[in-house]
Amino acid sequence: MFHPEKLPKDFQFQYENQEVKEYNLEIKEGVTINGLLFKAKGKSKGLVYYLKGNSKSIKGWGKFAVDFTLFDYDVLMIDYRGFGKSTGKMSQQTMKDDALLVYDKIKERVKEENIIVYGRSLGTGLATKVASVNNPKMLVLACPYFSMSNNAKRYLPFIPLGLVMRYSMPTYKWIKYVKCPIKIIHGTDDKVIRFKSSVRLSKMKPELTRLYPIIGGGHKNLHNYESYHRALKEILNSQGITEVDRENTSIDFIRTKRKK
């Protein structure tokens, strides 16, 4: 289920044309969460809290920060326990606790109205949990699962059932408590997490949710599609939920049934 890349403590992160600062948050003795803060190209509009997928480390994921700094958002990425330079034993509970603790630290410096929580693949469940108990500007989910246990059942018996149940990550339960706008981006040809997962999630809070299908997109190549970047641009420049003009649009029109 997890494919971590471990990095030595003295590893130096380097990114072309990006201003980046490394942070280490000590949770307790033997447990440290390592993260990178990428600075916006211009005057910062806020911060994107980026919760990544289940592979590698933020060394590789860091290259995606440009998609947000381009629109003048700072980006904070963290490695989960056991990934990159982060240390400690991973569990669903510790992942949730760490993600929430880091968000609390962000709130000390950035107003919630300027924080966007972004989750990718594995990180979508954690991002939803964070948004469900806080009040960020927006929740953005890229390739989200309805629940990790539900998705992992497709791969049984290759993944032990006990392991699946320890990481249930019930996104569908947490999303019910999200109060901010929800943006979902998903490739229609995703073979790892099916597109229908996003369709089901979008129906949980339809009044707050906008679904962006990336036609032909898979699980790992969304960034190769222009439609993904157009969707991201629209999302980052949006001001929230737009009210529909009920008086001057057709929203309240009711078609009469033809008489037999």
Side-chain angles (χ1 to χ4, degrees), residues 19-31:
E19 182 183 347
V20 60
K21 184 176 181 180
E22 183 178 356
Y23 287 89
N24 286 291
L25 176 62
E26 187 172 351
I27 307 296
K28 61 181 181 180
E29 185 176 353
V31 180

Side-chain angles (χ1 to χ4, degrees), residues 4-14 22-25 30-36 52 56-59 78-88:
E5 171 189 39
K6 296 189 177 182
L7 300 174
K9 289 184 178 181
D10 59 354
F11 179 83
Q12 297 294 312
F13 294 98
Q14 294 182 343
E22 183 178 356
Y23 287 89
N24 286 291
L25 176 62
V31 180
T32 300
I33 297 301
N34 181 251
L36 296 177
K52 70 177 192 66
K56 304 296 183 181
S57 69
I58 52 176
K59 180 186 78 172
I78 64 168
D79 261 327
Y80 311 124
R81 299 188 188 196
F83 286 73
K85 295 184 181 182
S86 293
T87 59

Side-chain angles (χ1 to χ4, degrees), residues 33-44:
I33 297 301
N34 181 251
L36 296 177
L37 178 65
F38 296 84
K39 299 299 291 182
K41 297 293 185 182
K43 183 179 179 181
S44 177

Side-chain angles (χ1 to χ4, degrees), residues 8-235:
K9 289 184 178 181
D10 59 354
F11 179 83
Q12 297 294 312
F13 294 98
Q14 294 182 343
Y15 300 92
E16 290 186 9
N17 303 316
Q18 288 280 76
E19 182 183 347
V20 60
K21 184 176 181 180
E22 183 178 356
Y23 287 89
N24 286 291
L25 176 62
E26 187 172 351
I27 307 296
K28 61 181 181 180
E29 185 176 353
V31 180
T32 300
I33 297 301
N34 181 251
L36 296 177
L37 178 65
F38 296 84
K39 299 299 291 182
K41 297 293 185 182
K43 183 179 179 181
S44 177
K45 297 178 182 176
L47 181 139
V48 173
Y49 180 26
Y50 192 113
L51 292 157
K52 70 177 192 66
N54 72 332
S55 64
K56 304 296 183 181
S57 69
I58 52 176
K59 180 186 78 172
W61 285 88
K63 61 179 176 286
F64 297 115
V66 295
D67 297 333
F68 306 92
T69 58
L70 173 67
F71 296 104
D72 296 328
Y73 275 92
D74 299 326
V75 180
L76 179 68
M77 292 188 180
I78 64 168
D79 261 327
Y80 311 124
R81 299 188 188 196
F83 286 73
K85 295 184 181 182
S86 293
T87 59
K89 186 177 180 180
M90 177 194 285
S91 70
Q92 176 170 288
Q93 189 61 49
T94 59
M95 292 176 78
K96 289 190 299 181
D97 291 345
D98 294 346
L100 290 167
L101 179 59
V102 171
Y103 187 87
D104 288 341
K105 294 294 183 182
I106 294 171
K107 286 194 295 184
E108 294 175 2
R109 300 190 180 190
V110 183
K111 293 180 180 179
E112 279 199 279
E113 62 194 49
N114 297 322
I115 301 174
I116 294 175
V117 182
Y118 178 101
R120 179 74 180 261
S121 191
L122 169 65
T124 57
L126 294 171
T128 304
K129 178 61 181 180
V130 169
S132 71
V133 294
N134 290 285
N135 296 287
K137 176 181 180 179
M138 191 184 306
L139 171 65
V140 182
L141 304 176
C143 312
Y145 44 84
F146 195 70
S147 74
M148 186 180 286
S149 56
N150 179 272
N151 192 72
K153 287 176 183 177
R154 296 177 50 230
Y155 299 100
L156 293 175
F158 307 107
I159 300 176
L161 182 60
L163 181 61
V164 172
M165 298 312 296
R166 290 204 301 272
Y167 293 92
S168 58
M169 293 288 188
T171 310
Y172 71 96
K173 290 184 179 179
W174 297 332
I175 204 169
K176 296 176 183 178
Y177 302 100
V178 175
K179 299 177 288 294
C180 65
I182 304 167
K183 312 294 184 181
I184 301 177
I185 311 173
H186 209 139
T188 58
D189 288 356
D190 192 328
K191 299 297 190 296
V192 178
I193 301 175
R194 299 292 187 180
F195 177 69
K196 67 180 181 181
S197 172
S198 284
V199 175
R200 294 176 71 190
L201 286 174
S202 68
K203 295 177 180 179
M204 304 299 294
K205 295 293 286 281
E207 71 281 5
L208 294 177
T209 306
R210 171 80 186 275
L211 174 60
Y212 294 82
I214 307 303
I215 307 302
H219 191 70
K220 296 182 179 181
N221 63 353
L222 286 186
H223 60 281
N224 296 132
Y225 286 78
E226 290 186 7
S227 54
Y228 168 76
H229 293 278
R230 286 195 294 269
L232 208 54
K233 180 179 180 179
E234 179 180 319
I235 290 168

